Amino acid sequence: MEAFWISLAVIFVAELGDKSQLMAMTFATRFKPWPVLAGITAATAVVHLVSVGLGRLAGDLIPTTAITIIAGLAFLGFAVWTLRGDELTAEEEQKASRTTRSAIVAVTVAFFLAELGDKTMLATITLATQYGWFGTWLGSTVGMVAADALAIAVGRMLGKHLPEKVIRYGAAAAFAVFGVLLLVEPLFA
């Protein structure tokens, strides 16, 4: 359960203001929310399953203290990445707004490709080196889908984005706190 809750919280925060959230809003303006959420869920489940597999492999091969330090540095890097911001490219926005195929297939493929190498994938790999694979996979998947569902709901209700600057600073601060906590953990072990 610890892996589930930590992964859910970290990935939810990581997804706020991410390009995937912008894609979710864009798809939601073209398609009904449920097919968009179904596509997001399918793509996220697969990408995060691969991520936890990579994280478990790294966790078995690298000493625990080294993993903790690497994870702390990675989370500080995610904080900087989050401050930098994330935007849809013109090509990604065009694909999201002009897709004519099945909504679920279109969203699944777009999200799968967008998430490969994204900070949420890297965060899930990092979390899987520290916690159980199943809880990490389930929590990271639920966290990402919840954040994207929030984007869809807010986008549809308000017709505009959440205050991007506030989201970016809050997410960056959360990553920085996780990073610092991981870096000081070996000092007290």
Side-chain angles (χ1 to χ4, degrees):
M1 286 306 291
E2 180 183 24
F4 172 81
W5 290 111
I6 290 172
S7 297
L8 187 148
V10 168
I11 298 304
F12 181 85
V13 168
E15 186 64 11
L16 295 177
D18 191 70
K19 71 178 175 184
S20 303
Q21 220 178 20
L22 298 174
M23 286 176 61
M25 284 182 172
T26 303
F27 275 121
T29 63
R30 179 161 173 85
F31 302 117
K32 293 181 181 186
W34 293 116
V36 174
L37 277 176
I40 291 168
T41 303
T44 301
V46 172
V47 169
H48 289 199
L49 187 59
V50 170
S51 300
V52 296
L54 292 171
R56 291 310 314 155
L57 180 63
D60 292 341
L61 298 175
I62 303 170
T64 306
T65 302
I67 288 173
T68 302
I69 292 169
I70 291 167
L73 293 172
F75 277 99
L76 291 176
F78 298 149
V80 172
W81 188 348
T82 301
L83 281 175
R84 180 185 60 112
D86 215 357
E87 296 177 3
L88 287 176
T89 64
E91 182 182 335
E92 288 170 330
E93 191 167 351
Q94 186 178 32
K95 283 181 186 176
S97 65
R98 293 190 180 173
T99 301
T100 57
R101 295 175 294 191
S102 163
I104 294 174
V105 172
V107 172
T108 301
V109 170
F111 269 79
F112 179 81
L113 295 174
E115 285 306 304
L116 293 177
D118 193 56
K119 70 182 168 196
T120 51
M121 180 182 185
L122 299 174
T124 302
I125 291 169
T126 303
L127 289 164
T129 65
Q130 304 286 311
Y131 302 100
W133 77 269
F134 185 75
T136 300
W137 171 67
L138 191 59
S140 66
T141 300
V142 170
M144 184 161 165
V145 172
D148 289 336
L150 175 65
I152 291 167
V154 169
R156 289 179 69 85
M157 286 183 350
L158 301 177
K160 59 184 175 180
H161 301 287
L162 290 170
E164 187 177 333
K165 192 179 219 181
V166 172
I167 292 169
R168 190 177 334 144
Y169 290 151
F175 273 125
V177 167
F178 280 115
V180 169
L181 289 174
L182 284 168
L183 286 172
V184 298
E185 182 180 314
L187 300 174
F188 298 103

